[in-house]
Amino acid sequence: MARYTMKFGGTSVGSPEAIAQVVEIVKDFLAEGHELAVVVSAMAGVTDMLLESAAAAAARDRARYLAISDELRRMHTKVIEGLIDSDADRAAIDAEMEELLRSHVELCEAVYILGEVTPRISDALVSFGERLSSRVIAAVMQARALPARQLDSEAFIVTDNQFGDAEPLWGETEARVAGSLRQELDSGLTPIITGFIGATPDGTITTLGRGGSDYSAAIIAAYLDCDELIIWTDVDGVMTTDPRLDKRARVLPYVSYQEIGELAFYGAKVLHPKTVQPIINRGIPLRVRNTFNPKHSGTLVGARTQASATVIKAVTGIRDVSMLTVSGRGMLGVPGIAGRTFLASAKAGANILMISQSSSEQSFCFTVVDPLAQAVKTAVETELQREIQHNNVDSVDVLSDIVIITVVGSGMRGTPGVAGRVFSLLGENRINVLAIAQGSSECSISFIIAEADLERAVGKLHSLALETVENDRINGVGSPY
Ligand code: ADP
Ligand code: ASP
Ligand code: MG
């Protein structure tokens, strides 16, 4: 018998057929005698719809948010009607759903009157997605005699008040997960928990960032001291690249925590970038599996590194980023300019994705997401006002329509020539590289190219990753566990 936390993503709970599949998976694990905590996302598309309802309310478009409310009702009713037979059971969950839909519309009405959505209200509004899905899924399971019990995660994921991207307060969260949530499991119940949502110590709802249900599940897996965390999604595992970018993408049987950390940070949407943080120190293995193909063993993620002879295992690309360059001959030898620039960027709310400086010290560049680029430019110019006046800094330039490409593979450490291979390949294909950075973990290299070159670059580099997978298969390099 083992204890698992498993998380089902938006597509995995996105239709009656998908939820029926989820129920089968849970049933099979329970039948084998395992203990489960189940974390669920909102049905696919619902979080976006809720955000749209908030924007519509702020723009005083009542018809739009009412239409969204109707669509939410239709989606969840379809699941209830498709999967719950008894009239009484249906009526009970229907009433719960109506209550939530009513609260959602009430909140939209408040935004309508105010004419604006604060981040705090936005979090309260988007939380309805997981609150609805978890209740409907738990009701379906109960109707099939599974010992499921819906739980709202704000009762035990305690966070700071960084709305939209909240961080757990670890001590309090640990106490509650290891305490009251653990008791649910001990009493033989299978909790069906809202992903994505937390609350401040005074009970105000927060969210953990888009795609944050993976992170919720990892936090819960860590403090329930689970034997494994399983992320059930809509692909067979972590792949050599996003299958939407290149159809040749193949599943990687094993990657290390570090490798998945780099992949997720640099755009592999399959996992939220923070997912491995809570489980890494406890060494809890993570498995990424396909809800729609449960026979496939998926990708195992663990602590050991498994270097492949040909090193490069995966390629990612991030769109919608801009590169800022700070340059000036007078910067040479003036200490602190980079530090102040990054601090100013952070104050403007920007997360810096990549930094690169040439040894001449006459310029350095860094990359932020598009919507923040102008705000960061202004913040940095204000911070460096004196240096600009004294001509020590010439300018802060923004370059858009670029992408960050990252190649990942733990064997980069100590394998000479990996960067050489990558950049010769780009050169041979006349793809111009604008900036380069190597991850400090030495298992990734990132670089910037024009957006127009994205698909070609990923295609070429992906061939290297495919070669690695194939060599590993022939050489029998599998999981180190
Ligand atoms: P979920 O709703 O289950 O959380 P997501 O849409 O967030 O699912 O993540 C799964 C998707 O991530 C896949 O459908 C795939 O298109 C995308 N993806 C991007 N990069 C990768 C990768 N390297 N390996 C697997 N999937 C990837
Ligand atoms: N429903 C949330 C989102 O779409 C969280 C998640 O699915 O992980 O971002
Ligand atoms: Mg996701």
Side-chain angles (χ1 to χ4, degrees), residues 259 305-313 407-423 438 441-445 468:
E259 288 170 321
T305 50
Q306 176 77 295
S308 304
T310 38
V311 180
I312 294 167
K313 285 189 189 161
V407 293
V408 175
S410 57
M412 276 174 205
R413 194 185 335 238
T415 309
V418 178
R421 273 180 86 196
V422 168
F423 295 114
Q438 171 151 32
S441 61
E442 284 186 61
C443 77
S444 74
I445 300 170
T468 301

Side-chain angles (χ1 to χ4, degrees), residues 259-280:
E259 288 170 321
I260 197 72
E262 297 290 311
L263 281 170
F265 185 78
Y266 284 110
K269 194 190 165 210
V270 64
L271 277 186
H272 185 279
K274 290 178 188 163
T275 310
V276 294
Q277 278 177 19
I279 56 174
I280 197 165

Side-chain angles (χ1 to χ4, degrees), residues 151-356:
L151 289 181
D152 287 308
S153 55
E154 62 262 33
F156 41 83
I157 307 272
V158 187
T159 72
D160 62 15
N161 63 357
Q162 190 65 44
F163 296 103
D165 193 22
E167 263 302 307
L169 302 177
W170 298 106
E172 188 55 32
T173 300
E174 173 168 17
R176 296 194 194 181
V177 172
S180 59
L181 182 59
R182 178 65 190 271
Q183 273 170 17
E184 298 276 340
L185 261 72
D186 289 347
S187 68
L189 291 171
T190 300
I192 311 297
I193 307 163
T194 53
F196 187 44
I197 307 171
T200 60
D202 68 7
T204 310
I205 285 186
T206 56
T207 62
L208 306 181
R210 291 307 304 269
S213 297
D214 299 329
Y215 192 29
S216 311
I219 295 164
I220 290 167
Y223 295 143
L224 285 179
D225 199 16
C226 282
D227 297 293
E228 190 170 294
L229 165 63
I230 309 181
I231 302 287
W232 293 95
T233 183
D234 58 2
V235 285
D236 282 337
V238 178
M239 305 177 95
T240 45
T241 196
D242 186 344
R244 288 175 297 193
L245 272 178
D246 189 337
K247 287 194 185 64
R248 298 174 300 163
R250 286 178 64 178
V251 177
L252 294 160
Y254 178 81
V255 292
S256 66
Y257 290 134
Q258 254 183 4
E259 288 170 321
I260 197 72
E262 297 290 311
L263 281 170
F265 185 78
Y266 284 110
K269 194 190 165 210
V270 64
L271 277 186
H272 185 279
K274 290 178 188 163
T275 310
V276 294
Q277 278 177 19
I279 56 174
I280 197 165
N281 288 337
R282 293 171 185 249
I284 297 174
L286 158 68
R287 212 176 260 282
V288 179
R289 301 185 63 176
N290 190 347
T291 304
F292 306 97
N293 187 17
K295 287 202 183 75
H296 197 293
S297 57
T299 299
L300 177 66
V301 184
R304 295 187 195 151
T305 50
Q306 176 77 295
S308 304
T310 38
V311 180
I312 294 167
K313 285 189 189 161
V315 186
T316 63
I318 311 188
R319 294 174 207 263
D320 304 323
V321 289
S322 292
M323 180 168 88
L324 284 93
T325 304
V326 179
S327 56
R329 281 178 202 284
M331 276 166 47
L332 193 81
V334 181
I337 290 188
R340 284 162 53 207
T341 298
F342 298 143
L343 212 57
S345 308
K347 283 190 188 143
N351 184 10
I352 293 173
L353 297 164
M354 185 184 139
I355 301 172
S356 164

Side-chain angles (χ1 to χ4, degrees), residues 367-449:
T367 311
V368 301
V369 295
D370 269 342
L372 288 172
Q374 282 306 324
V376 170
K377 174 179 156 74
T378 309
V380 173
E381 280 172 347
T382 310
E383 174 62 39
L384 300 180
Q385 214 167 9
R386 272 194 70 216
E387 285 76 7
I388 293 172
Q389 264 164 12
H390 291 117
N391 294 326
N392 287 333
V393 169
D394 297 336
S395 60
V396 181
D397 299 312
V398 178
L399 185 65
S400 300
D401 302 322
I402 53 151
V403 290
I404 304 178
I405 305 285
T406 302
V407 293
V408 175
S410 57
M412 276 174 205
R413 194 185 335 238
T415 309
V418 178
R421 273 180 86 196
V422 168
F423 295 114
S424 331
L425 193 59
L426 294 171
E428 283 158 23
N429 288 282
R430 308 198 135 274
I431 295 169
N432 189 27
V433 177
L434 302 167
I436 303 173
Q438 171 151 32
S440 54
S441 61
E442 284 186 61
C443 77
S444 74
I445 300 170
S446 296
F447 55 90
I448 290 176
I449 57 172

